[in-house]
Amino acid sequence: MIKLQNVSKIYPNQTKGLNQVSLTVEQGEFVAIVGLSGAGKSTLLRAINRLHDITEGNIEIHGASITKAEGKALRSIRRDIGMIFQGFNLVKRSSVLRNVLAGRVGHHGTLRTILGLFPKTDEDLAFEALARVNLLEKAYSRADELSGGQQQRVAIARVLAQEAKIILADEPVASLDPLTTKQVMDDLQRINQELKITTIINLHDIDLARAYATRIIGLRAGEVVFDGPVAEATDERFMEIYGRSLRELAPQEIEA
Ligand SMILES: Nc1ncnc2c1ncn2[C@@H]1O[C@H](COP(=O)(O)OP(=O)(O)O)[C@@H](O)[C@H]1O
Ligand SMILES: [Mg+2]
C-alpha cells in the first residue's frame, strides 16, 4: 500500500510541483496518472520513491514512512520499488543479462555489483525475468542492439529481477511507436495481473490510460483534480477539468 498524506513539493526556485496531495493506492492496483505537461506527474513519482524530498506531508510504503526513513531503513523500502523511465536507463554497452542483474544491486550493495559477483540464484531470477518479457534469446546481446521497445522490456525485466512490489513508470512508452507501445503496455499489465505488483504509470495519452488502467488520477498544477475508475474518465469530464482534450498533446510537451 502506498499512502500520501498532504504531500507538497516546492522546488528550490519556488515552483510548486505538488500541492497538498493525499491519496492511497492499494497493493495490486494499476493506476494511470494523467495531466498536461507540468502538472506534476513526474514530481509525484519521484516523491514516492524519494528520488527527491518533499517539502511537507508524509508518504508511507507498506506502512513505513519513506519520508522519514534514513540509511538502511530507506534502502530497504526502496528495494521494493522499481522505476521505469521514458529513456529506458540501460547501460547501453553492457549485455541484456547484466542490465537485468543490475536489478539485484539493492540486495547486495554496490561493490559486489561492480565486480559482477552475482550469486547463481540471481542469474536464475534474471533469466526468469527475461522469460516473462519474452527476451530470453537476447540475454547475451548488447543492450543497444535492441529496439526501443525491447530495451524498455529489458528495463521491466530489471524491475522483476529486483523483486519489486511496486513499479513506478514515468512515461514508459512516450518514445515508442504504437505497435511497440502495445507490447510494452501488455507486458506491464500482464505482470501486474500475474504477480500483483502495484503499478503506477504516468501517461500523457488518455486513451492508453483508459485501455490499461483500473484507476485514473488526474493532476493539474500539482493537485489531484480527478480520481476514479476508467468508466468515469470520459472526454467530457476531462474537457470540464482541463478546458481541453488530453488527446491533443504535442510530443514536445511530454518531455518536461
Ligand atoms: N527540478 C525542478 N526545478 C524546478 N521546477 C521543477 C523541477 N522539476 C519540475 N519542475 C516544475 O514542477 C512542475 C511539475 O513538473 P513535472 O512533475 O515534471 O510535471 P509533468 O511530469 O506532469 O510534466 C512544473 O511546473 C515544472 O516546471
Ligand atoms: Mg513528466
Side-chain angles (χ1 to χ4, degrees):
M1 195 193 67
I2 302 166
K3 188 171 184 182
L4 282 77
Q5 292 164 296
N6 304 318
V7 171
S8 294
K9 166 71 183 176
I10 299 170
Y11 284 103
N13 67 1
Q14 300 308 313
T15 305
K16 253 192 184 161
L18 295 173
N19 188 22
Q20 295 289 320
V21 170
S22 294
L23 56 91
T24 301
V25 176
E26 302 294 342
Q27 187 66 37
E29 276 195 86
F30 195 109
V31 181
I33 312 281
V34 302
L36 300 170
S37 179
K41 303 181 295 296
S42 296
T43 304
L44 178 66
L45 284 201
R46 284 191 232 119
I48 290 174
N49 73 347
R50 210 166 134 193
L51 275 181
H52 57 201
D53 283 314
I54 54 177
T55 315
E56 204 192 313
N58 187 44
I59 301 177
E60 277 180 19
I61 311 289
H62 303 132
S65 171
I66 191 169
T67 309
K68 298 184 185 113
E70 295 296 343
K72 205 173 161 196
L74 178 59
R75 283 197 296 278
S76 153
I77 298 172
R78 279 215 179 112
R79 197 147 56 212
D80 283 347
I81 307 175
M83 281 291 285
I84 291 174
F85 300 92
Q86 178 177 345
F88 323 133
N89 284 28
L90 301 181
V91 181
K92 293 187 191 321
R93 298 164 61 88
S94 284
S95 72
V96 164
L97 180 62
R98 273 211 158 268
N99 272 283
V100 176
L101 278 168
R104 301 302 298 161
V105 168
H107 295 263
H108 303 307
T110 37
L111 184 60
R112 197 164 185 174
T113 310
I114 290 166
L115 298 176
L117 298 171
F118 291 98
K120 173 78 171 60
T121 46
D122 279 8
E123 288 212 352
D124 294 344
L125 276 171
F127 282 118
E128 207 181 292
L130 280 171
R132 262 190 203 279
V133 295
N134 276 312
L135 285 176
L136 257 190
E137 79 280 4
K138 299 286 184 192
Y140 299 102
S141 302
R142 247 175 68 150
D144 58 5
E145 287 167 5
L146 273 56
S147 71
Q150 288 172 331
Q151 290 192 42
Q152 193 59 296
R153 282 152 57 213
V154 172
I156 294 171
R158 180 174 57 192
V159 165
L160 292 178
Q162 182 186 337
E163 297 181 290
K165 297 179 180 67
I166 295 167
I167 291 178
L168 305 176
D170 196 354
E171 301 282 1
V173 293
S175 52
L176 303 178
D177 62 69
L179 179 67
T180 318
T181 289
K182 181 172 166 14
Q183 288 169 346
V184 169
M185 291 301 296
D186 283 351
D187 272 342
L188 286 168
Q189 184 179 53
R190 192 164 33 75
I191 285 158
N192 164 258
Q193 289 171 354
E194 288 175 3
L195 304 176
K196 308 287 175 238
I197 298 177
T198 309
T199 306
I200 305 182
I201 306 193
N202 287 350
L203 291 170
H204 65 278
D205 181 335
I206 186 67
D207 288 328
L208 262 192
R210 279 195 283 247
Y212 287 92
T214 51
R215 171 182 173 190
I216 294 181
I217 294 175
L219 293 182
R220 189 185 60 203
E223 297 182 6
V224 175
V225 289
F226 178 90
D227 186 352
V230 171
E232 288 170 22
T234 59
D235 279 343
E236 293 73 29
R237 192 71 202 280
F238 281 107
M239 271 306 258
E240 252 170 59
I241 294 172
Y242 293 102
R244 60 180 280 191
S245 166
L246 290 192
R247 295 156 182 270
E248 292 159 6
L249 283 187
Q252 64 270 22
E253 286 189 65
I254 302 158
E255 293 283 344

